[in-house]
Amino acid sequence: MTEAPATDDRPGPAPEALLDAVLGDYRLFIERVVEYLRAQLGAGADLPAWEMDHICYRVETDEQYQSTKSALLGLGGALLIESLIGGRPISIIQLREPIVHNGVTVRCIELPSPKEGSFYRTGLEHAEMVVGQPSDGCVSSKVRLEEFMRSYPGCSFDTRAIGKEINADVSLGWKDEMFGKMSCKFHLRPIYEVVEYEKQHGL
């Protein structure tokens, strides 16, 4: 009689640990973003009501782009879209389980491949916050973003992307002692809604 092979009943790595291996310390990154926003925007900012719909992970080489994309998909992520923007592919990957940490929920990872002539070190680089309402829709409203900025007169927002027809944003940038150059963008609808809108309209 042949004995059945022994099975290893030890639990495998937690999903958080596996995601750490791909993205680095994403919890600390989120904490640093929230800490900065609280300091800059003040008590009037309704951070708990804003969704941090995605965070962006930059890579330095095409090989890192492919391997990172494969790793995130291997963790059960879903590729919502991979499109050419600025001459290179950018992937939006929806996590199997959202990141819930420090009062925010992150559902997606933005993964750009390197852009010729621009250098970004490998690692987490920016977050994006949803400051609009469902009624705003995905066709961007410059007026709504201007209203948002007027609520925080002490902040110097970067408005270079406020005129985009789809998914316009304004942003704040800073130098972080742990993560280096960081930024937070503010837009009206989450990236997964924007992707669905673009697919429906053939954009």
Side-chain angles (χ1 to χ4, degrees), residues 104-191:
V104 299
T105 299
V106 181
R107 289 179 169 82
C108 295
I109 306 296
E110 176 185 358
L111 177 65
S113 64
K115 185 176 183 180
E116 186 174 355
S118 300
F119 175 78
Y120 290 89
R121 66 174 184 82
T122 295
L124 291 164
E125 182 257 350
H126 77 256
E128 302 207 17
M129 304 288 284
V130 180
V131 295
Q133 302 296 327
S135 58
D136 291 320
C138 294
V139 177
S140 299
S141 169
K142 181 179 178 181
V143 173
R144 289 283 289 110
L145 289 173
E146 288 174 338
E147 290 174 354
F148 168 76
M149 289 189 292
R150 283 197 293 271
S151 299
Y152 307 100
C155 294
S156 297
F157 290 94
D158 184 335
T159 60
R160 285 176 292 179
I162 198 172
K164 290 166 56 181
E165 183 178 354
I166 305 295
N167 198 33
D169 67 75
V170 297
S171 63
L172 293 173
W174 69 97
K175 186 70 175 292
D176 184 83
E177 62 183 14
M178 297 181 186
F179 289 91
K181 184 180 178 182
M182 293 175 62
S183 66
C184 184
K185 301 181 182 183
F186 305 90
H187 57 170
L188 299 180
R189 302 308 306 143
I191 193 65

Side-chain angles (χ1 to χ4, degrees), residues 10-83:
R10 292 174 297 178
E16 295 84 356
L18 296 173
L19 194 57
D20 267 341
V22 180
L23 300 179
D25 194 344
Y26 60 86
R27 298 178 200 80
L28 179 59
F29 177 81
I30 291 170
E31 290 168 10
R32 300 294 284 179
V33 172
V34 171
E35 178 182 335
Y36 179 84
L37 294 182
R38 284 178 175 156
Q40 294 299 310
L41 301 180
D46 193 7
L47 291 182
W50 299 344
E51 178 187 359
M52 187 182 289
D53 60 306
H54 72 278
I55 53 180
C56 176
Y57 185 84
R58 299 274 189 177
V59 294
E60 298 173 23
T61 68
D62 292 332
E63 291 75 15
Q64 286 179 319
Y65 172 76
Q66 294 296 340
S67 63
T68 303
K69 181 175 68 171
S70 296
L72 290 171
L73 296 178
L75 293 177
L79 182 63
L80 297 186
I81 196 168
E82 182 175 36
S83 54

